[in-house]
Amino acid sequence: MQDKKTIVLGVIGSDCHAVGNKILDHALTESGFNVVNIGVMSPQEDFINAAIETDADVIMVSSLYGHGEIDCRGMKDKCLEAGLEDVLLYVGGNIVVGKQEWKDVKYRFNAMGFDRIYPPGTSLERAVEDLRADLYKDHRAAV
Amino acid sequence: MQDKKTIVLGVIGSDCHAVGNKILDHALTESGFNVVNIGVMSPQEDFINAAIETDADVIMVSSLYGHGEIDCRGMKDKCLEAGLEDVLLYVGGNIVVGKQEWKDVKYRFNAMGFDRIYPPGTSLERAVEDLRADLYKDHRAAV
Amino acid sequence: MKLKNRKLSEDEFFDLRKEVLSQWPTGKEVNLKEAVDYLKKVPDEMNFAKKLKKAKEEGITLAQPRAGVGLIDKHIELMNFLSKEGGADLLPCTIDSYTRQNRYKECEVGIEDSIKEGRSLLNGFPAVNHGVKGCREVFEGVDKPLQARHGTPDSRLLSEIIHASGWTSNEGGGISYNIPYAKNVSVEKTLYDWQYCDRLAGFYEEQGIEINREPFGPLTGTLVPPSISNAVAIIEGLLAAEQGVKSITLGYGQGGNLNQDIAAVKALEEQAESYLKRFGYKDCYVTTVFHQWMGGFPEDEAKAFGVISMGSMAAALAGATKVIVKTPHEAHGIPTKEANAAGIRNTKMTLSIYEGQKMFMSRELEEEIEIIKAETDCIINKIIEVGKGDIALGTVKGIEMGIIDIPFGPSKFNLGQMMPARDNQGAIRYLLTGNLPFTNEIIDYNRSKLEERGRYEDRKVDFKMTIDDIYAVSRGKLIGRK
Amino acid sequence: MKLKNRKLSEDEFFDLRKEVLSQWPTGKEVNLKEAVDYLKKVPDEMNFAKKLKKAKEEGITLAQPRAGVGLIDKHIELMNFLSKEGGADLLPCTIDSYTRQNRYKECEVGIEDSIKEGRSLLNGFPAVNHGVKGCREVFEGVDKPLQARHGTPDSRLLSEIIHASGWTSNEGGGISYNIPYAKNVSVEKTLYDWQYCDRLAGFYEEQGIEINREPFGPLTGTLVPPSISNAVAIIEGLLAAEQGVKSITLGYGQGGNLNQDIAAVKALEEQAESYLKRFGYKDCYVTTVFHQWMGGFPEDEAKAFGVISMGSMAAALAGATKVIVKTPHEAHGIPTKEANAAGIRNTKMTLSIYEGQKMFMSRELEEEIEIIKAETDCIINKIIEVGKGDIALGTVKGIEMGIIDIPFGPSKFNLGQMMPARDNQGAIRYLLTGNLPFTNEIIDYNRSKLEERGRYEDRKVDFKMTIDDIYAVSRGKLIGRK
Ligand code: B12
Ligand code: B12
């Protein structure tokens, strides 16, 4: 058995959308990850502190309400400053205002230092697969 | 009072759409025109014969079912052959297959010799106005 | 031709058949024996009758689009698009207008031109010209049961070709594919020709092959009072049953008043069952089809989607076995495949929300069912009476007399003295009953409903109301208020 | 702050007011005397409360979108587009998320950036920053009554500014704008702050100016059982009435089971009236608002239109006074003005088809109304009990205890032990009742409804059901079947 990987999970900024967060928590836990859920309305700092405290492998940022682009700015730098260069940065939800060309959105978030960027309607299976691919070199199941 | 103008009305080809035809008949009659309604499923010849017999001023062709373009081909020539050069040719309904660029449709029917070409959803008021403009030089009401 | 409502004998049928198959060269391709073998191999899930039966048993409503283009490969592409991208449960082949008039030569031109111009100049699929070979190619190229949908007064050859090709359902009937679709064709002739089509389906039934038949419910699609279309549907059902048809789908076109729409479907199903029983047709399986709004549509696509969903909801709540789907392009012209698929997806979404939900019985629903049934009984009983017990003969005479009178029917055999209008809740009532054989009570009921609206709008109850009502939906309202 | 459910005295109110108006420079712009004069000149058709009353009397359902952008001119343009191209009957100003958190400095940045980039970086209209001057500019630039729609725990300054600007309605409440929208804000605090907002509306009422108040009905929009949201709505209605509010619009978010949705609206209206009477608030005018599906939407626009129409239809049949409109972009992000207008047109089409049509009473509808009322009574009575007769105090305690428990509420003050799921017809039932003060009968009823589904699907009745149900609509189904 491989060791359990730790994911810090939360919804960034002033965003109160809680449903996806609760389901992600449940599903990732069920899939064998160690989930540290800092919940909704979390500033960048809370993600970073939680990652440091728990020696996390991944930070999964949710943003639903449209201010994601503003809220995520500078997060990668803060991670680097905090010595979290190896921690993967995922982001998903409805991360920009409105229905935009996905290519452009992805490009902008890539440039901001995010490793994986998910469009609206992403299935949990997809996220879990990616996590496994990124975290376990042999791509085997997490547990 | 001006003299009553005569309109030959009908639905061309194998087209059975009867509702618009019955309403046009009713409305044009109410507006003071002399309506000669040859009804649905009428070949070009029936329009022309009716126009000759009744010394008509306008032929109003309806086509709803999509074959209008095929059904109307050569109609102007037949009118000319029959000596109906002064009879106005109107066409309306859903005159082509599908939702097409109206500019193109109008162009094609103009080229076929139609004087006025109406898109789906044309109001009766609009048609009556045009008739009055075309038939009475002083644009006054028909009766 | 001596019309009579009795099953054509095998001799009569095969006699007629010779002539039918010689109407166009592709008729030669039909070999009944071989066709029976072919149809026996059709898997259950590709059989229209079986799929309908299953849906009814499971209490779900299936979605079926209308669609057809001139060329085989394009048509297959279209069907698969509607199945895969739209999620259609049943597939149609809408037949072009020339075929409907048996003008196969013009179809040939249409096919050639369509090839040349690279776009369909035909408004449907010319199945006769494509023959058994072409129609089987379609059938084998799709993944859902197929039905021919047309509007053909004489569709005998068409029926031969499609059924032999694995298409296990055929829409139409001697009244419903005449009065709304033709001008000069006698009712006697279409009833006779549709006996043939029904007999053909009955023949297959005798060979153990289930073929579904569906009278065209909505008629002219324009303010048809439920009792008119229900009476026609039941009569056509009875005529089909006499010829040996077992799988019968009776249709109704949405009127717009939810209570009336649901009452109409319930009345239709119940009365059809009871008339079939009364005339001794015991093992027929009756399903229902609900047509989304068949009258003039709004041009705006967002509004069109509203009309479409509204039809899906009514269909689901009425418990109809299937719903015929309109598209957001309806007001403009034949839809693109994308618009058609969008109409289906919209419909399926609504249907699945209401899956398992039915309209519960209320006093008002009961009342509406009663009035529709009473009106329908008046019509059918009178038809039987004037036919001296023969419902086929009664129909010919009845239409002549205006016992059945279809609003805005283009046929010269239609009396055209009946006139409908909406009442104050939007239910379709009789403004003028013409020669309809209604009791005074029924006439008064209808009148009083319309007077109520007249008072509300402070207007006369007259033909202006009818005209305003015809335009209303396309202008974003149900009732054409003053 | 000593919370108590009694009308704030003028002294208390004006004391608090000083502090409120100093929260941001634009507070200085509010002059109550001048505002009263301004509001007295607002014509009837621009008054939200009056328009709702008229609609209720005429038995029609009005359509209102959600919309808001950062800049004044763009917002006016948006409003007029929705009014003219969409046909909206009532207009909203959806407030941005920074304003909702009283973070006006960040709004300032958002406004500047929006000007620079030429597109709105804010997800709503920052009314406080724009002040009375900006908000009046909006009001004077539009042709329909305006309402602020937000999700602000402390909206005292916002309320001052919008009402002084001619916006005659304000959405929100001490529970409904806290539990679904906040994480750390105490219920005591929000109830207190909303007493202020209500008192402000009540003050205007005393001056003869009708101001409408609307508790936010759908809460988290996610599988909220009707009795939870109805209890919250009624409590917030009672709290508002105590402060002198007269025009109260109570809301409900569509669940998807038509019978339950209609029962919920009927129960809400009837129970609200009777509780208001019981507590002696005699001249309140109660209207209802039905929210089209508030949970996750399907991405496909054709399907989204199906969900939208379905909500309009339920609203119309329930006889709701207005319906809040979703858009075909819902699953993706804040809609373009075109998508928003399309949602309204779709809604209006459906509403006008069903204008004048209501759901008739059936045994099943009666039963559903009874169960919702019984559940709601349990909750409200217990709240009153633990508050020792004070419904404000009871609410604080009750939420702590889980007497009110909102599914998926992000607030840390929400107990979160209740869990909902759909029954076999798609009605929302209690899977876990947590600390809800239900009788055994009610608990058994809910359980048995879910067991019925469990048997049908051959699955355990557990949290997996809830999760599947949450995703279902966005995946094209109502019930998340196994
Ligand atoms: C009702 C209807 C039917 C009924 C007709 C009953 C009858 N006998 O009348 C039935 C169900 C039988 C039917 C059959 C068919 N229909 Co049909 N039908 C319609 C529908 C829904 C409404 C038509 C209507 O009555 N409107 C109300 C009247 C008042 O309006 P109107 O007909 O448009 O006429 C008004 C105006 O157009 C204008 N006008 C008309 N002509 C003229 C002429 C002039 C000079 C002027 C100024 C104005 C003018 O004034 C009229 C009065 O206001 C339309 C779509 C729509 N519009 O929503 C499709 C539609 C016309 N039908 C269509 C088709 C294809 C058919 C069928 C071929 C096949 C099929 N899909 O079933 C068959 C036709 C068979 C045949 N041989 O003709 C297509 C045509 C496609 C195209 N052009 O690309 C349409 C557009 C639907 C679609 N989008 O696919 N149909
Ligand atoms: C329910 C809902 C609400 C509820 C939330 C209740 C609550 N506290 O949770 C209420 C009504 C309170 C609400 C409020 C608002 N909402 Co809202 N809301 C929704 C809605 C309808 C559904 C969200 C939901 O619960 N979905 C179900 C869950 C299971 O899915 P999910 O949240 O998308 O999460 C899944 C995936 O996205 C993914 N995922 C999420 N994060 C991540 C991260 C990673 C790394 C990965 C791999 C995957 C992943 O996995 C999750 C689980 O499957 C959406 C629209 C929609 N999707 O249909 C709008 C929506 C998110 N809301 C929106 C907005 C704007 C707001 C408001 C700002 C204003 C308003 N219009 O009222 C306020 C927010 C205030 C605030 N401070 O945050 C917008 C966002 C716009 C944008 N991005 O352009 C949306 C898209 C609606 C819209 N089209 O306008 N909302």
Side-chain angles (χ1 to χ4, degrees):
Chain A
M1 207 196 83
Q2 293 159 313
D3 47 79
K4 267 199 177 185
K5 301 288 184 177
T6 297
I7 302 172
V8 169
L9 184 70
V11 186
I12 202 165
S14 304
D15 193 336
C16 72
H17 289 90
V19 183
N21 171 267
K22 294 196 177 175
I23 295 189
L24 276 170
D25 187 342
H26 179 86
L28 294 172
T29 306
E30 285 243 306
S31 300
F33 295 99
N34 179 28
V35 178
V36 180
N37 190 355
I38 60 170
V40 301
M41 302 187 134
S42 298
Q44 293 184 2
E45 293 69 26
D46 289 9
F47 283 90
I48 289 169
N49 292 338
I52 296 171
E53 274 166 35
T54 63
D55 194 16
D57 303 283
V58 188
I59 294 177
M60 285 183 95
V61 177
S62 291
S63 177
L64 282 304
Y65 72 153
H67 289 185
E69 216 172 329
I70 308 184
D71 295 334
C72 290
R73 278 186 200 152
M75 180 147 187
K76 183 69 188 180
D77 288 340
K78 284 206 192 110
C79 285
L80 296 176
E81 276 164 35
L84 300 176
E85 48 282 316
D86 292 337
V87 176
L88 292 167
L89 261 185
Y90 285 21
V91 66
N94 300 70
I95 57 178
V96 289
V97 173
K99 190 172 180 176
Q100 300 184 23
E101 197 57 61
W102 182 244
K103 229 174 57 247
D104 303 345
V105 174
K106 204 173 162 188
Y107 177 84
R108 296 207 297 271
F109 278 82
N110 258 138
M112 281 159 66
F114 283 86
D115 298 293
R116 288 198 184 260
I117 299 127
Y118 296 92
T122 299
S123 77
L124 295 174
E125 293 70 29
R126 164 86 193 283
V128 168
E129 253 174 50
D130 288 347
L131 280 168
R132 287 179 179 160
D134 290 351
L135 295 175
Y136 304 98
K137 281 183 207 73
D138 60 0
H139 292 200
R140 280 224 316 269
V143 270
Chain B
M1 207 195 86
Q2 294 159 315
D3 46 82
K4 267 199 176 187
K5 301 288 183 176
T6 297
I7 302 172
V8 169
L9 183 71
V11 186
I12 202 165
S14 303
D15 192 336
C16 71
H17 289 90
V19 183
N21 172 265
K22 293 196 179 177
I23 294 190
L24 277 171
D25 187 341
H26 179 85
L28 294 172
T29 305
E30 286 242 307
S31 299
F33 296 99
N34 178 30
V35 178
V36 180
N37 189 355
I38 61 170
V40 301
M41 300 187 135
S42 298
Q44 293 184 2
E45 293 69 25
D46 289 9
F47 283 90
I48 291 171
N49 293 337
I52 297 172
E53 274 166 35
T54 62
D55 194 17
D57 303 284
V58 188
I59 294 177
M60 285 183 95
V61 178
S62 291
S63 177
L64 281 305
Y65 72 153
H67 288 185
E69 216 171 330
I70 308 183
D71 294 334
C72 290
R73 277 186 200 153
M75 181 147 186
K76 183 70 188 178
D77 290 339
K78 283 207 193 110
C79 285
L80 295 176
E81 275 165 37
L84 299 176
E85 47 282 316
D86 292 337
V87 175
L88 291 167
L89 262 184
Y90 284 21
V91 66
N94 299 72
I95 58 178
V96 290
V97 173
K99 190 173 180 175
Q100 300 184 24
E101 197 57 61
W102 182 245
K103 226 173 60 250
D104 304 345
V105 174
K106 202 171 164 189
Y107 177 85
R108 297 208 298 271
F109 277 81
N110 259 139
M112 281 159 67
F114 282 85
D115 298 292
R116 288 201 182 258
I117 300 127
Y118 296 92
T122 299
S123 77
L124 294 175
E125 293 70 30
R126 164 86 194 282
V128 169
E129 254 174 50
D130 289 347
L131 279 168
R132 288 180 179 159
D134 290 352
L135 295 175
Y136 304 98
K137 282 181 207 73
D138 61 357
H139 291 200
R140 281 226 316 271
V143 270
Chain C
M1 176 181 82
K2 316 180 281 298
L3 180 70
K4 231 180 172 335
N5 182 33
R6 58 155 186 71
K7 189 167 183 173
L8 298 181
S9 72
E10 291 226 349
D11 285 353
E12 287 170 297
F13 175 65
F14 281 102
D15 253 15
L16 285 169
R17 201 165 175 269
K18 269 179 231 144
E19 185 235 307
V20 167
L21 296 185
S22 67
Q23 287 169 354
W24 188 253
T26 51
K28 283 197 305 284
E29 294 173 13
V30 190
N31 175 330
L32 261 189
K33 250 220 169 87
E34 187 269 351
V36 167
D37 292 342
Y38 183 82
L39 280 156
K40 284 214 162 135
K41 281 185 229 116
V42 168
D44 284 4
E45 66 277 12
M46 288 294 286
N47 180 293
F48 217 96
K50 288 178 182 164
K51 185 144 185 183
L52 284 170
K53 193 173 190 172
K54 186 156 173 275
K56 180 164 176 168
E57 279 161 6
E58 289 173 357
I60 60 175
T61 304
L62 303 173
Q64 183 181 18
R66 291 190 179 85
V69 286
L71 304 178
I72 296 169
D73 52 341
K74 295 288 170 207
H75 187 73
I76 294 175
E77 198 185 306
L78 174 60
M79 291 297 106
N80 285 317
F81 191 87
L82 299 182
S83 173
K84 269 139 218 167
E85 300 300 316
D89 300 304
L90 298 165
L91 290 173
C93 289
T94 297
I95 306 298
D96 72 287
S97 289
Y98 293 135
T99 300
R100 296 171 183 213
Q101 306 295 318
N102 313 107
R103 287 155 63 175
Y104 310 120
K105 275 197 198 114
E106 285 168 67
C107 289
E108 215 56 38
V109 177
I111 293 172
E112 276 160 32
D113 283 1
S114 299
I115 295 173
K116 262 185 245 150
E117 298 208 17
R119 64 182 173 110
S120 186
L121 288 173
L122 292 173
N123 61 6
F125 184 79
V128 169
N129 291 60
H130 290 312
V132 174
K133 207 174 142 288
C135 291
R136 281 193 183 170
E137 215 179 296
V138 173
F139 180 65
E140 288 162 20
V142 303
D143 67 346
K144 303 278 164 63
L146 277 182
Q147 177 187 44
R149 301 187 69 86
H150 34 125
T152 313
D154 173 7
S155 78
R156 293 171 301 166
L157 179 54
L158 177 66
S159 305
E160 285 278 1
I161 286 174
I162 60 151
H163 292 321
S165 305
W167 304 13
T168 41
S169 180
N170 190 17
E171 193 197 40
I175 311 164
S176 63
Y177 266 12
N178 176 338
I179 307 296
Y181 285 97
K183 184 171 162 181
N184 293 316
V185 184
S186 84
V187 177
E188 195 172 3
K189 173 79 169 76
T190 46
L191 286 175
Y192 192 65
D193 290 343
W194 275 94
Q195 281 186 334
Y196 181 96
C197 302
D198 286 330
R199 185 65 183 82
L200 175 65
F203 175 85
Y204 279 115
E205 279 287 349
E206 288 164 8
Q207 318 304 311
I209 292 156
E210 295 180 33
I211 299 281
N212 173 252
R213 281 274 299 111
E214 176 187 339
F216 176 62
L219 304 173
T220 47
T222 305
L223 298 181
V224 182
S227 47
I228 291 284
S229 54
N230 280 7
V232 170
I234 291 168
I235 290 170
E236 292 190 0
L238 291 169
L239 295 171
E242 174 63 30
Q243 301 302 323
V245 172
K246 301 291 178 205
S247 171
I248 300 175
T249 304
L250 299 184
Y252 169 74
Q254 176 175 26
N257 174 287
L258 186 64
N259 196 52
Q260 186 178 46
D261 283 337
I262 290 182
V265 175
K266 292 207 177 295
L268 176 60
E269 197 164 9
E270 290 168 14
Q271 280 184 309
E273 303 268 15
S274 98
Y275 275 103
L276 283 166
K277 206 171 285 166
R278 171 169 154 197
F279 285 94
Y281 308 115
K282 285 205 188 85
D283 42 0
C284 293
Y285 196 84
V286 176
T287 48
T288 52
V289 49
F290 190 94
H291 292 252
Q292 290 174 357
W293 179 246
M294 286 295 287
F297 248 67
E299 286 169 63
D300 176 64
E301 298 193 12
K303 289 187 191 163
F305 272 126
V307 177
I308 291 171
S309 311
M310 181 187 94
S312 317
M313 291 164 198
L317 293 175
T321 322
K322 72 171 180 179
V323 60
I324 303 292
V325 177
K326 289 268 176 172
T327 83
H329 282 182
E330 178 64 13
H332 298 276
I334 293 187
T336 57
K337 62 181 189 311
E338 289 79 15
N340 207 333
I344 308 170
R345 287 201 304 277
N346 180 276
T347 296
K348 295 268 292 184
M349 181 78 225
T350 315
L351 291 178
S352 48
I353 294 288
Y354 285 113
E355 196 178 305
Q357 299 189 41
K358 296 287 162 279
M359 178 62 76
F360 297 116
M361 189 52 69
S362 61
R363 197 172 43 73
E364 291 83 355
L365 181 55
E366 216 152 4
E367 214 178 284
E368 193 63 46
I369 293 175
E370 281 323 305
I371 182 87
I372 293 172
K373 282 188 174 176
E375 292 172 358
T376 306
D377 279 335
C378 287
I379 297 172
I380 299 181
N381 287 330
K382 191 79 185 177
I383 289 286
I384 295 168
E385 186 191 313
V386 301
K388 304 209 170 80
D390 186 305
I391 201 161
L393 294 174
T395 299
V396 176
K397 215 162 176 185
I399 290 181
E400 205 179 292
M401 292 168 66
I403 296 171
I404 289 172
D405 195 349
I406 295 171
F408 308 99
S411 167
K412 68 178 187 202
F413 299 100
N414 190 50
L415 190 64
Q417 286 184 358
M418 185 271 274
M419 202 51 69
R422 291 194 187 279
D423 71 15
N424 213 31
Q425 282 72 45
I428 299 170
R429 306 291 175 196
Y430 293 94
L431 169 62
L432 301 175
T433 45
N435 270 349
L436 288 168
F438 288 155
T439 60
N440 284 338
E441 236 180 301
I442 289 176
I443 295 175
D444 291 347
Y445 178 84
N446 276 276
R447 191 76 206 172
S448 74
K449 282 286 187 181
L450 294 174
E451 295 291 355
E452 184 194 338
R453 170 174 167 196
R455 278 192 305 277
Y456 181 82
E457 291 178 30
D458 191 18
R459 73 187 284 180
K460 277 224 304 266
V461 176
D462 62 9
F463 185 55
K464 267 290 290 152
M465 253 188 193
T466 314
I467 294 188
D468 289 342
D469 288 345
I470 288 174
Y471 285 119
V473 170
S474 64
R475 294 180 179 162
K477 296 276 168 190
L478 180 63
I479 307 174
R481 302 266 191 217
K482 204 178 77 172
Chain D
M1 178 179 83
K2 320 178 278 297
L3 182 68
K4 231 182 173 336
N5 181 34
R6 57 153 188 72
K7 189 167 183 175
L8 298 183
S9 71
E10 290 225 351
D11 283 355
E12 288 170 296
F13 176 64
F14 282 103
D15 252 16
L16 286 168
R17 204 164 173 268
K18 271 180 231 143
E19 185 236 307
V20 168
L21 296 185
S22 68
Q23 287 169 356
W24 189 254
T26 51
K28 282 195 305 283
E29 295 172 12
V30 191
N31 175 331
L32 260 190
K33 249 219 171 88
E34 187 270 350
V36 167
D37 292 340
Y38 184 82
L39 280 157
K40 285 215 162 136
K41 281 186 229 114
V42 168
D44 283 4
E45 66 278 11
M46 288 294 286
N47 180 294
F48 218 95
K50 288 180 182 163
K51 184 145 184 182
L52 285 170
K53 192 172 191 174
K54 185 155 174 277
K56 181 164 173 167
E57 279 162 7
E58 290 173 356
I60 61 175
T61 304
L62 303 173
Q64 183 182 19
R66 289 189 180 84
V69 286
L71 305 179
I72 295 170
D73 52 341
K74 295 286 168 208
H75 187 73
I76 293 176
E77 198 185 306
L78 173 60
M79 290 298 107
N80 284 316
F81 191 88
L82 299 182
S83 172
K84 269 139 218 167
E85 299 300 315
D89 300 305
L90 297 165
L91 290 173
C93 289
T94 297
I95 305 299
D96 72 288
S97 289
Y98 293 135
T99 300
R100 295 171 185 215
Q101 305 296 316
N102 313 106
R103 288 154 64 174
Y104 310 120
K105 276 198 197 111
E106 285 168 68
C107 289
E108 216 55 38
V109 177
I111 293 172
E112 276 160 31
D113 283 2
S114 299
I115 295 172
K116 262 186 243 148
E117 299 208 17
R119 63 184 173 108
S120 185
L121 288 172
L122 291 173
N123 61 7
F125 183 80
V128 169
N129 291 59
H130 290 312
V132 174
K133 206 174 141 288
C135 291
R136 282 193 183 171
E137 214 179 298
V138 172
F139 180 66
E140 288 161 19
V142 304
D143 66 346
K144 303 276 162 66
L146 278 180
Q147 177 188 45
R149 302 187 68 86
H150 36 124
T152 313
D154 173 6
S155 76
R156 293 171 300 166
L157 179 55
L158 178 65
S159 306
E160 286 278 1
I161 287 175
I162 59 152
H163 293 321
S165 306
W167 305 12
T168 41
S169 180
N170 189 17
E171 194 195 39
I175 310 165
S176 63
Y177 267 11
N178 177 338
I179 308 296
Y181 285 98
K183 186 170 161 181
N184 293 316
V185 184
S186 84
V187 177
E188 196 173 359
K189 173 82 169 72
T190 47
L191 287 176
Y192 192 65
D193 290 342
W194 275 95
Q195 281 185 334
Y196 181 95
C197 303
D198 287 331
R199 186 64 184 81
L200 176 64
F203 175 84
Y204 279 114
E205 279 287 348
E206 289 164 7
Q207 317 305 310
I209 292 156
E210 295 181 34
I211 298 281
N212 173 252
R213 281 276 298 112
E214 176 187 341
F216 175 62
L219 303 173
T220 47
T222 305
L223 298 180
V224 182
S227 46
I228 291 285
S229 53
N230 281 7
V232 170
I234 291 168
I235 289 170
E236 292 191 359
L238 291 170
L239 294 171
E242 174 63 28
Q243 301 302 322
V245 171
K246 301 291 177 204
S247 171
I248 301 176
T249 304
L250 299 184
Y252 170 74
Q254 175 175 27
N257 174 287
L258 185 64
N259 196 52
Q260 187 178 45
D261 283 337
I262 290 182
V265 175
K266 291 205 177 299
L268 176 59
E269 197 165 8
E270 290 168 14
Q271 279 185 310
E273 303 268 15
S274 97
Y275 274 104
L276 283 166
K277 204 171 287 167
R278 172 169 151 197
F279 285 93
Y281 308 115
K282 283 202 188 88
D283 43 0
C284 293
Y285 196 83
V286 176
T287 49
T288 52
V289 50
F290 189 93
H291 291 253
Q292 291 175 357
W293 179 244
M294 286 294 289
F297 248 67
E299 287 168 62
D300 176 64
E301 297 193 13
K303 288 186 191 163
F305 273 127
V307 177
I308 290 171
S309 310
M310 180 186 94
S312 317
M313 158 166 164
L317 293 176
T321 322
K322 73 171 179 178
V323 60
I324 302 293
V325 176
K326 289 268 177 172
T327 84
H329 283 182
E330 178 64 14
H332 298 276
I334 292 187
T336 57
K337 63 180 188 310
E338 289 79 16
N340 207 333
I344 308 170
R345 287 200 304 277
N346 181 276
T347 296
K348 294 267 292 183
M349 181 79 225
T350 314
L351 291 179
S352 48
I353 294 289
Y354 285 113
E355 196 179 304
Q357 301 189 41
K358 295 285 162 281
M359 177 63 75
F360 297 116
M361 189 51 70
S362 61
R363 198 174 42 74
E364 291 82 355
L365 181 56
E366 215 151 6
E367 214 177 284
E368 193 64 45
I369 293 174
E370 281 322 306
I371 181 86
I372 293 171
K373 283 188 173 176
E375 292 172 359
T376 307
D377 280 334
C378 287
I379 297 172
I380 299 181
N381 288 329
K382 192 79 185 176
I383 290 287
I384 296 169
E385 186 191 314
V386 301
K388 304 208 171 80
D390 185 305
I391 201 161
L393 294 174
T395 300
V396 176
K397 213 160 178 189
I399 290 181
E400 204 179 293
M401 292 168 66
I403 296 170
I404 289 172
D405 195 349
I406 295 171
F408 308 100
S411 168
K412 70 178 185 201
F413 298 100
N414 190 49
L415 190 64
Q417 286 184 0
M418 185 272 273
M419 202 50 69
R422 291 194 187 280
D423 71 15
N424 213 31
Q425 282 72 46
I428 299 169
R429 307 289 175 196
Y430 293 92
L431 169 62
L432 301 175
T433 46
N435 270 351
L436 289 168
F438 288 156
T439 61
N440 284 338
E441 237 178 301
I442 289 176
I443 294 175
D444 291 348
Y445 179 85
N446 276 275
R447 191 76 206 172
S448 75
K449 282 287 188 181
L450 293 173
E451 294 291 355
E452 184 194 338
R453 169 175 169 196
R455 279 192 305 276
Y456 181 83
E457 291 177 32
D458 192 18
R459 73 188 286 180
K460 278 224 305 263
V461 176
D462 62 8
F463 184 55
K464 267 290 291 152
M465 252 189 196
T466 313
I467 294 188
D468 289 343
D469 288 345
I470 287 173
Y471 286 119
V473 170
S474 64
R475 292 179 180 163
K477 297 274 169 191
L478 180 64
I479 308 174
R481 302 267 192 216
K482 204 177 77 172

